[in-house]
Amino acid sequence: MTDAQETAAETALRTTGGAPPDDVVSAPIPLLEPREGIPPVVADAESLASVVAAFAAGTGPVAVDAERASGYRYGQRAYLVQLRRAGAGTALVDPVGCPDLSALGEVLADTEWILHAATQDLPCLREIGMVPSRLFDTELAGRLAGFPRVGLGAMVESVLGYALEKGHSAVDWSTRPLPEPWLRYAALDVELLVDLRDALEKELDRQGKLDWAHQEFDAIAAAPPAPPRKDPWRRTSGMHKVRRRRQMAVVRELWTARDKVAQRRDVSPGKVLSDAAIVEAALAVPANVHALTALPGFGHRMGRRQLEQWQAAVDRARALSDAELPQPGQQVQGPPPPRAWADKDPEAAARLAAARTAVSELAERLNLPQENLVTPDSVRRVCWEPPAERTPDAVAAALTALGARPWQVEQVTPLLTRALEARA
């Protein structure tokens, strides 16, 4: 970062919420361009070996990003990986041509990785052998520092004074060859991540929040892969309309059939059959293909073979015995929805109201989102089933058991301890 850029960044960061002052906002913002141009896409073993060697010889942290084809392809695999490091420059790696990037991950194992919204990219990076041991998340850093907008473009603009190209974030990154404008966009995503990280580190340190951020980053890096969702079909959009168990069985059968087709064709499930169509079929439980065709989402554009495939799924649900039908979704553990607390346990409702008010006020004083101060679920659980001894030590232990980091425990324990004394 140049001296002028650093001065502008510090000026922007010291204003409320990280927004630049009025005179900076009104000034024209230059469009960022790749400093070394657009690098060639690495898609073979020999080129990858050169990138591995270059990044192993580089210095300092490494900026990392990944592009997926959400909404186009099945799953969340990476279709492009972008990296940038001092001494190595920028690399664009094609995981289709180079599906195993573990060698690259190994040479960067002891390096700090800089990502924006790390939890979105880490699963697909893990699939190709890239797992950081420590990281810096610029989006999360922006949240902790109190920025009102934490998208990468907004952060780069307000902190570093540059505008990033827009318009390619939701394209089909499985397209080959990738168009040059897309590659420019991808390269720019890592162009200033190191500069952004350095500016945010200074601001977090100024606010006394740098240790908080490090605790959050360490927790992300240490988190195990998320387990597979139980009954993922229950997350079908519009599921709240489905009340009867037989109808739920139709959703389950259609969702499962659709998932198999989508996986086989490597396309997004929504492109095979929409959630809205699944729900319509579940509500109607059609007796035959003719009745199915009359439903929204199963019109004349759908071929006879496809219609028979979906009707077969409906027929499987219709043939199930009552004992085989799915049970209504129920919370296996944890508190009920807060709206039901006043009737079920007025004292718990009073505790929750007091806790929410206290957490909201503290988050506002600290200039950070409430959910980053403490998760709403943790607050609900402590208020619904308080520790036997409602002491600060007991509350701190309960929060720690729920996954709260030490800085969160320190900030929130006094609030929750007082809230647990609230009465209806």
Side-chain angles (χ1 to χ4, degrees), residues 3-321:
D3 292 342
Q5 288 174 321
E6 189 165 356
T7 300
E10 291 177 354
T11 300
L13 284 164
R14 278 164 171 71
T15 58
T16 303
D22 291 341
D23 59 338
V24 175
V25 172
S26 60
I29 299 175
L31 186 66
L32 184 64
E33 291 289 341
R35 280 172 271 192
E36 298 101 16
I38 305 172
V41 177
V42 174
D44 60 77
E46 184 178 352
S47 301
L48 178 60
S50 298
V51 167
V52 171
F55 276 79
T59 59
V62 58
V64 182
D65 191 28
E67 305 295 347
R68 299 176 297 278
S70 303
Y72 297 94
R73 296 290 182 174
Y74 185 86
Q76 294 295 317
R77 66 170 293 186
Y79 282 95
L80 188 70
V81 175
Q82 308 100 283
L83 306 101
R84 184 175 179 84
R85 192 182 192 191
T90 297
L92 303 178
V93 183
D94 179 5
V96 177
C98 303
D100 182 6
L101 300 186
S102 56
L104 187 55
E106 287 170 7
V107 301
L108 297 172
D110 296 327
T111 302
E112 179 188 80
W113 294 25
I114 308 170
L115 301 103
H116 193 82
T119 54
Q120 295 183 18
D121 288 339
L122 288 178
C124 69
L125 289 171
R126 183 180 286 110
E127 288 181 358
I128 53 180
M130 297 187 66
V131 184
S133 58
R134 55 194 179 98
L135 59 85
F136 190 106
D137 186 333
T138 50
E139 189 221 34
L140 182 51
R143 291 180 183 277
L144 295 176
F147 279 74
R149 297 187 303 145
V150 293
L152 181 59
M155 296 282 287
V156 168
E157 186 172 315
S158 62
V159 177
L160 302 178
Y162 280 100
L164 291 178
E165 285 193 25
K166 300 176 181 178
H168 301 307
S169 60
V171 299
D172 181 3
W173 286 96
S174 68
T175 301
R176 293 296 182 273
L178 287 165
E180 183 175 311
W182 299 12
L183 295 176
R184 179 182 296 106
Y185 166 91
L188 291 175
D189 272 358
V190 292
E191 183 80 12
L192 291 180
L193 268 186
V194 176
D195 295 338
L196 182 60
R197 173 234 180 271
D198 292 345
L200 289 172
E201 182 179 58
K202 288 182 180 179
E203 177 62 11
L204 288 168
D205 190 35
R206 186 185 72 82
Q207 294 187 21
K209 298 176 180 176
L210 186 56
D211 181 58
W212 300 1
H214 285 155
Q215 291 182 36
E216 294 298 306
F217 302 156
D218 290 345
I220 294 173
R229 285 197 179 107
K230 182 181 179 182
D231 294 342
W233 57 270
R234 293 183 185 271
R235 298 175 62 87
T236 302
S237 180
M239 190 70 189
H240 62 281
K241 302 176 185 177
V242 181
R243 303 291 186 183
R244 299 174 182 174
R245 293 173 62 200
R246 184 75 57 187
Q247 295 173 331
M248 293 170 61
V250 173
V251 173
R252 182 178 64 186
E253 294 298 329
L254 281 172
W255 189 98
T256 303
R258 178 186 70 174
D259 194 65
K260 290 178 179 177
V261 173
Q263 189 169 11
R264 184 178 70 247
R265 291 169 50 189
D266 189 20
V267 296
S268 170
K271 289 187 174 296
V272 175
L273 185 67
S274 70
D275 280 8
I278 290 178
V279 170
E280 290 291 342
L283 296 176
V285 193
N288 51 52
V289 169
H290 179 72
L292 181 69
T293 307
L295 300 176
F298 298 92
H300 63 278
R301 293 183 180 180
M302 191 172 287
R304 179 76 183 185
R305 183 177 178 183
Q306 286 179 293
L307 289 167
E308 290 176 347
Q309 172 182 250
W310 305 132
Q311 184 60 43
V314 175
D315 291 342
R316 287 194 295 273
R318 295 175 66 237
L320 294 174
S321 67

